[in-house]
Amino acid sequence: MAAPLAPRRGAGAAGRRWLVLLPPLLLVLMLVRPAGALVEGLYCGTRDCYEVLGVSRTAGKAEIARAYRQLARRYHPDRYRPEPGDEGPGLTPQSAEEAFLLVATAYETLKDEETRKDYDYMLDHPEEYYSHYYHYYSRRLAPKVDVRVVLLVSVCAISVFQFFSWWNSYDKAISYLATVPKYRIQAMEIAKQQGLLGKAKEKGRNKKSKEEIRDKEESIIKNIIKSKIDIKGGYQKPQIWDLLLFQILLAPFHLCSYIVWYCRWIYNFNIKGKEYGEEERLYIIRKSMKMSKSQFDSLEDHQKETFLKRELWIKENYEVYKQEQEEELKKKLANDPRWKRYRRWMKNEGPGRLTFVDD
């Protein structure tokens, strides 16, 4: 009884093997594409672009353009008149518009050198199905304008906007300082010493109106303030090197400079153990305070001298100074009437408390 069962057991094992191999075979059949070079949806579809224009693969640009013009005139929808036995490039005469579009597609494909190379490669290598799709759509969807030109124009536009915006802020700062009595009186004294105000009040034929004299004096005062006061921070005088365009151009130089500076710092202070100079001490203090260079430069000189006297580049001293500043801020807030009102409101009402008023 055992002998007849042996063939059945072998057949069952073979069936199981086929079941194991079936999914890979189906996957291969799904991925395998026809080896035909002409694919629907790419270039001229199932038609050969060379046959559509009636030229050979060795035809030059002039011959292709001449064939296109002849066929375009012939199959233009507004000018086409069907004739007996007339056949378009693979289409019936009644489909003149489709024939015209096919001729235009063939010409667009063959007139560009790169696109023509891709098309010829597709004709010679029909088995690379997915590669043809990639090359076709990558060229079709690629931007017509060079991205580098777009980036350059954008950076230049941003830089121009930066420059005029900074100049506007700088002029506003000068106009404000011209209204502050402290700076205005000093500027007027300097103008009188240099004899600039007398020139503004000319007499005789060159006599000016009161408004012209006032505008002239205001301009003189602002020019003196510009020359005598060094504004720092966000309202400082704009420099062309601070613009985005020049920052990008000088980025390699700044990077190399920073690497050299960092190596010198490690060598001088970490390896050789030299003492910090004034510049290095101020740098460490600025980093501890988490301030940018422009913010730190806007501080008064006496504040920086106080930092140096208290040796704030030492971490322990800076922690003590920071604690003192926090305590001082708490005292100021405790004595501030507005802060007191805010605390009372937070205690009594609170930010999330809802109250209802009965009418």
Side-chain angles (χ1 to χ4, degrees):
M1 297 296 293
L5 294 177
R8 294 181 182 179
R9 189 178 297 111
R16 285 195 296 271
R17 284 197 297 271
W18 275 108
L19 288 175
V20 173
L21 295 174
L22 184 59
L25 289 174
L26 291 175
L27 182 62
V28 170
L29 291 174
M30 290 174 63
L31 293 178
V32 170
R33 298 293 181 178
L38 303 175
V39 182
E40 187 66 36
L42 298 184
Y43 305 105
C44 297
T46 56
R47 294 297 310 276
D48 190 333
C49 292
Y50 291 101
E51 293 181 358
V52 170
L53 295 180
V55 296
S56 64
R57 290 186 61 174
T58 58
K61 285 186 176 182
E63 185 179 351
I64 293 173
R66 184 167 55 253
Y68 165 71
R69 285 193 294 270
Q70 292 175 358
L71 292 173
R73 285 193 297 267
R74 181 179 179 184
Y75 292 104
H76 195 282
D78 298 334
R79 302 175 59 181
Y80 179 72
R81 295 294 181 272
E83 299 177 0
D86 187 13
E87 294 184 358
L91 298 173
T92 59
Q94 59 186 1
S95 303
E97 184 175 357
E98 295 180 7
F100 178 78
L101 293 176
L102 183 61
V103 170
T105 302
Y107 177 65
E108 291 292 329
T109 302
L110 300 180
K111 76 173 184 177
D112 183 69
E113 290 291 338
E114 298 297 328
T115 308
R116 186 176 179 180
K117 285 181 181 179
D118 292 341
Y119 183 70
D120 290 342
Y121 186 83
M122 186 184 76
L123 296 178
D124 296 334
H125 302 83
E127 70 280 358
E128 300 182 14
Y129 181 81
Y130 294 104
S131 176
H132 303 325
Y133 263 99
Y134 169 75
H135 288 294
Y136 174 76
Y137 283 104
S138 63
R139 292 197 182 279
R140 187 169 184 178
L141 301 178
K144 303 301 180 182
V145 182
D146 193 345
V147 178
R148 293 170 295 182
V149 176
V150 176
L151 290 176
L152 179 60
V153 172
S154 301
V155 170
C156 291
I158 294 173
S159 301
V160 171
F161 176 78
Q162 278 182 324
F163 185 76
F164 285 104
S165 177
W166 290 346
W167 262 112
N168 186 37
S169 300
Y170 178 69
D171 289 336
K172 286 183 178 179
I174 295 298
S175 299
Y176 169 75
L177 292 176
T179 61
V180 177
K182 174 184 175 181
Y183 301 109
R184 187 177 185 85
I185 293 173
Q186 292 180 2
M188 291 182 68
E189 291 296 331
I190 295 173
K192 289 178 181 179
Q193 293 175 4
Q194 297 179 357
L196 298 176
L197 292 181
K199 294 180 180 179
K201 300 178 181 179
E202 295 179 352
K203 298 180 180 180
R205 295 181 179 179
N206 298 326
K207 186 177 180 180
K208 300 178 181 179
S209 63
K210 291 183 179 180
E211 293 183 357
E212 292 177 343
I213 294 173
R214 185 165 55 250
D215 294 341
K216 184 67 174 178
E217 290 179 351
E218 197 70 22
S219 177
I220 292 172
I221 291 172
K222 289 182 180 180
N223 290 333
I224 292 175
I225 292 175
K226 287 180 181 179
S227 61
K228 298 297 181 181
I229 295 181
D230 184 17
I231 301 176
K232 297 179 181 179
Y235 293 91
Q236 64 183 354
K237 188 175 182 180
Q239 302 292 331
I240 193 172
W241 309 112
D242 296 331
L243 298 178
L244 177 62
L245 177 61
F246 289 94
Q247 288 293 315
I248 294 175
L249 294 176
L250 296 174
F253 171 75
H254 291 318
L255 179 61
C256 295
S257 301
Y258 176 77
I259 294 174
V260 172
W261 172 86
Y262 186 76
C263 293
R264 287 181 178 177
W265 182 284
I266 296 296
Y267 176 75
N268 290 327
F269 304 116
N270 292 8
I271 298 177
K272 297 185 68 176
K274 289 185 177 180
E275 292 187 1
Y276 295 126
E278 182 176 333
E279 183 179 352
E280 289 78 14
R281 293 172 181 176
L282 290 174
Y283 172 78
I284 297 174
I285 294 171
R286 178 171 68 84
K287 287 298 182 181
S288 300
M289 293 182 173
K290 298 179 180 180
M291 299 175 66
S292 64
K293 190 175 184 306
S294 60
Q295 291 175 332
F296 194 78
D297 291 341
S298 62
L299 298 176
E300 300 290 341
D301 293 337
H302 66 85
Q303 291 179 292
K304 297 178 182 179
E305 292 176 1
T306 302
F307 297 158
L308 294 174
K309 286 180 181 180
R310 298 196 58 173
E311 299 182 353
L312 297 186
W313 66 88
I314 301 175
K315 187 175 181 180
E316 292 76 11
N317 296 344
Y318 176 73
E319 293 296 333
V320 174
Y321 171 79
K322 183 180 179 181
Q323 188 68 26
E324 291 176 358
Q325 293 296 312
E326 291 177 354
E327 294 295 332
E328 185 178 351
L329 179 60
K330 289 180 181 179
K331 291 180 181 179
K332 287 182 179 179
L333 293 176
N335 297 325
D336 188 1
R338 287 182 294 181
W339 178 250
K340 289 181 180 179
R341 288 196 299 269
Y342 174 73
R343 286 190 301 171
R344 283 197 299 269
W345 178 80
M346 289 291 293
K347 182 179 179 181
N348 298 329
E349 303 295 335
R353 182 176 177 181
L354 295 176
T355 58
F356 299 91
V357 179
D358 295 329
D359 295 334

